[in-house]
Amino acid sequence: MSNLNEKLPIYIRIEEGMKDAILDGRLKEESQIPSTTYLSKEFNINIATINKAIGFLVDEGLVYKKRGIGMFVKKGAKDKLIAERKKVFKELYIKATLQEAKKLDIGVEELQQIVNEAFNEINK
């Protein structure tokens, strides 16, 4: 959670950090998330701020409470996050890329070649 955008409110950074942890497998489905007390001490943040972040995760259907035990990652949370992020990825990146490609008169085949080259460069 340390590399998150410093301009965002702390509760959003905590929420996004938890989502990233679900996506990359640090927080597995049906596993317990760190307690609000632990997170509060770990990041030196007010418990109310932690509760706000976790409340958003609950509202989004990503975590749930087991009374007297703690908060857990909901089954299907990772798939839900992937679907949401793919939608955002398409809107923010793919459509913008296609609009720029159109301006530059780049066709589908050339664009695919460019994507393949970039993909190979990243995965070296």
Side-chain angles (χ1 to χ4, degrees):
M1 289 184 228
S2 60
N3 293 334
L4 296 170
N5 187 339
E6 295 293 325
K7 294 179 182 179
L8 292 173
I10 294 170
Y11 71 92
I12 292 176
R13 290 185 288 184
I14 300 283
E15 177 190 7
E16 290 301 318
M18 299 286 271
K19 287 178 179 179
D20 286 344
I22 292 168
L23 281 172
D24 69 20
R26 287 177 286 143
L27 286 175
K28 302 209 181 307
E29 294 180 352
E30 298 301 329
S31 70
Q32 189 170 7
I33 66 171
S35 72
T36 55
T37 303
Y38 171 82
L39 291 170
S40 175
K41 288 179 182 176
E42 179 73 15
F43 298 105
N44 197 26
I45 303 170
N46 186 301
I47 283 185
T49 302
I50 302 294
N51 283 332
K52 187 172 184 177
I54 292 173
F56 280 109
L57 295 171
V58 170
D59 292 345
E60 294 175 54
L62 300 173
V63 299
Y64 66 97
K65 183 176 185 171
K66 284 186 181 179
R67 182 170 281 189
I69 300 174
M71 303 298 288
F72 290 78
V73 178
K74 196 171 188 179
K75 186 169 177 66
K78 183 174 181 175
D79 289 340
K80 184 174 184 173
L81 282 170
I82 288 171
E84 288 172 5
R85 291 220 179 155
K86 281 182 178 181
K87 189 184 227 182
V88 170
F89 178 76
K90 176 184 172 186
E91 291 300 315
L92 290 180
Y93 301 104
I94 301 301
K95 286 186 176 181
T97 299
L98 292 173
Q99 288 170 347
E100 186 66 16
K102 185 177 180 179
K103 289 178 198 173
L104 298 173
D105 198 29
I106 298 173
V108 173
E109 289 178 15
E110 186 179 359
L111 183 59
Q112 183 63 49
Q113 181 183 353
I114 293 168
V115 169
N116 288 339
E117 288 172 8
F119 184 83
N120 289 334
E121 290 170 7
I122 289 172
N123 290 306
K124 283 185 178 180

